[in-house]
Amino acid sequence: MIKYWKYILIAIILLLGVLFPFYAGAYQQSIARTVLIYLVLAISWDMLLRSGQLSFGMAGLFGIGSYASVLLLLRLGASPMLSILGAGLVAFVVAALLGILVLRLRAMYFAITTLAIGEIFRIIIRNWSSFTGGPEGAILPNIIFDGDPVLSYWLVLGLALLAIVLSVIFQKTRIYFALTAIRNNEVVAKSSGINIFKYLVIVFAITSALQGMAGGVFAQTYGFVTPESSFSADYILLPIAMALLGGIYGTLGPIIGTVLLGVLAEYLKLYIPYGHLIVYGIIIICIIMFMPQGIVGVVRSKIIRREVG
Amino acid sequence: MSKLVVKSLTRRFGGLVAVDNLDFELGNGEIVGIIGPNGAGKTTLINLISGICMPTSGSILFDDKDITLTPAHIRSRMGIGRTFQLIHPLENLSLIENIMTGFLFSQGENKKKARLRAEDLCALMNLTDTGREISQLNILEMKKMEIAHALATGPSILFLDEVMAGLNSDETKEIIKIAKKIASSHNMAIGVVEHVMGVIKELTERVIVLDSGKLIAKGVYEEVSKDPKVITAYLGGAA
Ligand SMILES: Nc1ncnc2c1ncn2[C@@H]1O[C@H](COP(=O)(O)OP(=O)(O)OP(=O)(O)O)[C@@H](O)[C@H]1O
Ligand SMILES: [Mg+2]
């Protein structure tokens, strides 16, 4: 019976999400697009975190994806849709190669290396002006769907749904067992027959592909890339703050956190245009200190306490 | 033919030689006790055989194949199972899910089949209410889960590293009964590390004695326990 209601609720939310452009204004739609992009980053970050691997690579992979899609279109004449898939593929390959090199190290080394990906690609892009447009960035002649807001929104929503579906698959299949075991104890995981390295490389590559596609979608809907905006630290701090706020290690937490903080972020940007990153930093610290399980965790433990008590 | 052959196996940790030029064999379906004072190298030997730790020199053959450099997860799939002296349950998985991991990854079962087989194993071990969180288990249940987790990987040789430690005598008897049941029904070779000599006498056909990483005696327990070298090793360990 509870299951039944759950599916009805999901169907209603899905319908409201799909029909959003028909009852919301242009400003709300642009906020929704941004929130959905962050949703992809927050969920994909969490999907890798479920294996115990902390990544700071979201900005790097987002930037790589942004540039890959713009350059595929400008230099190779790919269609916008194809260039977004290409962005995912480029991010997948970059992450797989990097993963093969550094995922044996894990922990701190992995986290720091992921932070470096963005910096390395940003420096290359800034300096290789003839191909990338250099510090000024590059502009697309046309934005995707000729700027049709409804189609653009659906494109972003489609990517967010892909991330959600993948995240649910990660939770419902053997991947869940593998990632949780690796996070809890690698020695026990190995002794259970789990090929830790294989799982980590594949999950890092898949989540990076999502982040690359998010960059591609963003670049195609806004029509430009620059080294500073495409690799912005916003894409690291915000998704982490969102996932932590909602609750990590699951699909629902990052969704709730992204919607709450994503809407809040828009106001923060309006009122404190230069200091908003500090606010996310403070939010991250506060959640880690006072509410490490996030909103979903707090609600869940309240329910369990009621059932027991 | 021996199931497992360990040849001149050595493992150093810096200046310390934890396992020192050790030769050891385990036959099909036989139960062997591995004893020795604290720090003798028993756990390290199990770590080397299961691939958790790599030897400094020497080799390990399993079913006549050289597995000295084989990664741990492959050894688990090949049929080398083990429990851990310090139990580290996967705390974010439930009791049944902990056991399922072995079926899923070592034996390549699908989720449904893994759950069914894990439930069967729990029934065999007398583990009830299998959906429980790990934090709700008592020590006996933890030890049973540890054994079930190792069995779920489908081992043809199994190492039990002090599974009786911390249990009272009734609980110990229950685990011994389970171990005997497993050994006879699966024709599994078992290596038992235990400090309680009653358990070793009851369960094993022969023993090997380690001291400072070296094999100092082997044979049936009654004879080995009278060996002066063994007596000194234990007294030395206690002093
Ligand atoms: N990872 C490690 N790093 C450094 N030294 C180690 C390591 N593992 C074991 N040792 C050392 O190797 C020696 C053998 O340890 P081991 O745990 O194998 O002994 P044991 O026979 O299992 O002892 P116990 O009966 O206390 O469990 C000890 O001196 C121990 O301190
Ligand atoms: Mg030990």
Side-chain angles (χ1 to χ4, degrees):
Chain A
M1 205 51 199
I2 288 174
K3 263 234 157 98
Y4 185 67
W5 282 110
K6 195 172 131 189
Y7 288 127
I8 290 181
L9 191 66
I10 290 173
I12 291 171
I13 291 174
L14 198 61
L15 199 66
L16 288 175
V18 172
L19 299 180
F20 189 74
F22 300 118
Y23 61 83
Y27 176 57
Q28 278 92 342
Q29 282 183 49
S30 94
I31 293 181
R33 285 207 304 268
T34 312
V35 168
L36 288 171
I37 290 281
Y38 277 113
L39 181 60
V40 175
L41 298 179
I43 287 191
S44 59
W45 176 74
D46 183 70
M47 283 160 73
L48 181 64
L49 191 71
R50 293 170 204 169
S51 72
Q53 309 310 307
L54 178 61
S55 169
F56 297 126
M58 294 82 85
L61 291 150
F62 185 91
I64 289 169
S66 302
Y67 265 92
S69 95
V70 166
L71 294 176
L72 279 170
L73 192 146
L74 289 179
R75 305 279 180 253
L76 295 177
S79 73
M81 281 305 248
L82 199 64
S83 81
I84 291 169
L85 291 178
L89 189 66
V90 170
F92 184 96
V93 171
V94 168
L97 293 176
L98 187 80
I100 289 168
L101 284 177
V102 300
L103 270 169
R104 291 195 195 277
L105 302 173
R106 299 217 246 304
M108 274 312 283
Y109 301 101
F110 175 71
I112 289 166
T113 316
T114 58
L115 194 57
I117 319 173
E119 282 310 294
I120 292 167
F121 276 85
R122 202 167 59 87
I123 291 166
I124 295 173
I125 285 166
R126 273 186 77 97
N127 289 293
W128 193 6
S129 300
S130 60
F131 185 63
T132 63
E136 285 82 44
I139 298 176
L140 292 173
N142 264 316
I143 58 177
I144 195 166
F145 307 128
D146 294 319
D148 182 317
V150 178
L151 291 179
S152 305
Y153 169 83
W154 281 343
L155 175 67
V156 185
L157 181 66
L159 181 65
L161 289 176
L162 175 67
I164 292 172
V165 167
L166 282 174
S167 171
V168 170
I169 290 174
F170 270 41
Q171 290 297 86
K172 298 266 182 219
T173 61
R174 58 202 294 118
I175 300 172
Y176 167 75
F177 290 78
L179 299 191
T180 310
I182 295 169
R183 174 172 101 239
N184 280 176
N185 191 307
E186 293 198 6
V187 169
V188 176
K190 277 188 228 175
S191 300
S192 310
I194 296 171
N195 186 344
I196 297 179
F197 185 63
K198 182 188 91 177
Y199 271 98
L200 292 185
V201 171
I202 291 175
V203 170
F204 182 46
I206 290 176
T207 55
S208 297
L210 283 172
Q211 291 157 14
M213 278 163 74
V217 166
F218 188 89
Q220 293 297 333
T221 48
Y222 285 85
F224 71 94
V225 280
T226 69
E228 266 57 50
S229 69
S230 301
F231 289 87
S232 161
D234 282 20
Y235 301 127
I236 306 174
L237 281 179
L238 255 169
I240 293 179
M242 288 162 165
L244 283 172
L245 176 66
I248 51 178
Y249 306 144
T251 308
L252 194 57
I255 294 178
I256 290 173
T258 305
V259 172
L260 288 178
L261 204 53
V263 174
L264 179 72
E266 284 305 312
Y267 289 100
L268 283 178
K269 248 188 233 168
L270 286 181
Y271 295 113
I272 18 177
Y274 297 105
H276 62 280
L277 281 183
I278 297 171
V279 178
Y280 305 140
I282 294 171
I283 289 174
I284 292 175
I285 293 167
C286 287
I287 298 165
I288 291 173
M289 286 176 63
F290 303 113
M291 204 176 69
Q293 345 67 319
I295 293 170
V296 169
V298 169
V299 171
R300 195 167 286 156
S301 61
K302 284 251 160 66
I303 292 171
I304 290 172
R305 217 170 292 151
R306 193 171 306 155
E307 278 173 0
V308 172
Chain B
M1 188 204 79
S2 284
K3 189 82 190 150
L4 178 81
V5 181
V6 165
K7 279 193 224 163
S8 347
L9 200 64
T10 299
R11 168 70 208 209
R12 292 171 196 277
F13 292 110
L16 181 102
V17 192
V19 170
D20 193 352
N21 202 22
L22 189 82
D23 291 294
F24 163 63
E25 294 192 10
L26 199 56
N28 261 319
E30 103 176 300
I31 306 186
V32 174
I34 301 166
I35 60 174
N38 289 114
K42 307 177 294 289
T43 298
T44 305
L45 176 62
I46 296 178
N47 285 343
L48 289 167
I49 295 171
S50 58
I52 294 309
C53 149
M54 288 294 160
T56 312
S57 63
S59 59
I60 305 167
L61 305 181
F62 178 68
D63 280 335
D64 285 336
K65 278 188 290 286
D66 190 321
I67 57 159
T68 314
L69 299 174
T70 307
H73 68 274
I74 307 274
R75 295 192 206 189
S76 163
R77 293 174 193 178
M78 290 171 88
I80 299 175
R82 55 127 357 133
T83 65
F84 289 89
Q85 180 174 0
L86 295 173
I87 301 182
H88 309 283
L90 304 168
E91 69 261 27
N92 292 108
L93 296 178
S94 67
L95 166 57
I96 189 79
E97 287 172 338
N98 262 272
I99 299 170
M100 282 169 70
T101 58
F103 288 115
L104 284 169
F105 299 102
S106 251
Q107 306 212 51
E109 298 281 20
N110 66 34
K111 230 177 108 181
K112 207 169 169 183
K113 193 88 188 290
R115 187 173 289 275
L116 286 174
R117 292 188 64 186
E119 291 286 359
D120 286 347
L121 201 49
C122 285
L124 176 89
M125 311 279 296
N126 214 356
L127 276 169
T128 53
D129 203 355
T130 56
R132 271 179 297 167
E133 298 300 315
I134 298 307
S135 55
Q136 295 168 286
L137 304 182
N138 62 37
I139 175 139
L140 177 63
E141 289 170 322
M142 288 272 230
K143 298 274 184 171
K144 285 180 174 178
M145 183 184 84
E146 183 69 12
I147 297 172
H149 177 263
L151 288 174
T153 64
S156 53
I157 60 173
L158 172 66
F159 289 91
L160 301 175
D161 196 355
E162 299 198 26
V163 283
M164 321 288 178
L167 299 182
N168 66 34
S169 64
D170 284 345
E171 293 167 341
T172 303
K173 270 183 202 135
E174 191 180 344
I175 298 283
I176 289 179
K177 221 161 77 191
I178 291 169
K180 281 184 168 166
K181 195 153 55 171
I182 300 161
S184 63
S185 63
H186 292 77
N187 189 36
M188 195 183 293
I190 305 182
V192 186
V193 171
E194 206 55 63
H195 281 295
V196 187
M197 288 309 142
V199 175
I200 293 288
K201 256 193 280 188
E202 165 107 28
L203 208 53
T204 67
E205 295 145 29
R206 63 180 180 97
V207 299
I208 64 168
V209 189
L210 302 187
D211 184 30
S212 310
K214 288 195 186 64
L215 190 133
I216 57 166
K218 56 182 181 178
V220 290
Y221 177 78
E222 281 71 19
E223 283 164 26
V224 164
S225 60
K226 293 187 196 104
D227 188 323
K229 269 190 292 190
V230 175
I231 293 166
T232 352
Y234 270 92
L235 290 178

